Amino acid sequence: MNTAVREAPSLALLAGLARGEYPQARELFGLVLEELSLLPLASDDLAKARWTAAQWWAGQIVACQLDPV
């Protein structure tokens, strides 16, 4: 598994949200995923987005970037 440290400035913001700021969590979570390159850009079509994500995850596993377990 890739153990390289990656920077995600939005992660600290997400972690530091107060209870009254939870509505901002969805946007910050999306930014964190983008900053860490954890998800590809997804289509509005949910089925297509799921296939895109599955292909991306499979590619990461094949490239030895993710542990298949």
Side-chain angles (χ1 to χ4, degrees), residues 6-60:
R6 298 181 185 165
E7 300 230 1
S10 299
L11 185 57
L13 296 172
L14 179 62
L17 286 179
R19 184 169 291 199
E21 298 174 308
Y22 284 172
Q24 298 171 11
R26 174 172 262 148
E27 181 181 347
L28 284 172
F29 185 70
L31 288 173
V32 169
L33 293 178
E34 185 176 323
E35 290 167 358
L36 294 176
S37 300
L38 293 176
L39 290 176
L41 295 176
S43 168
D44 289 335
D45 176 24
L46 186 55
K48 184 176 179 183
R50 287 179 176 161
W51 275 111
T52 300
Q55 290 170 334
W56 183 86
W57 284 104
Q60 293 294 301

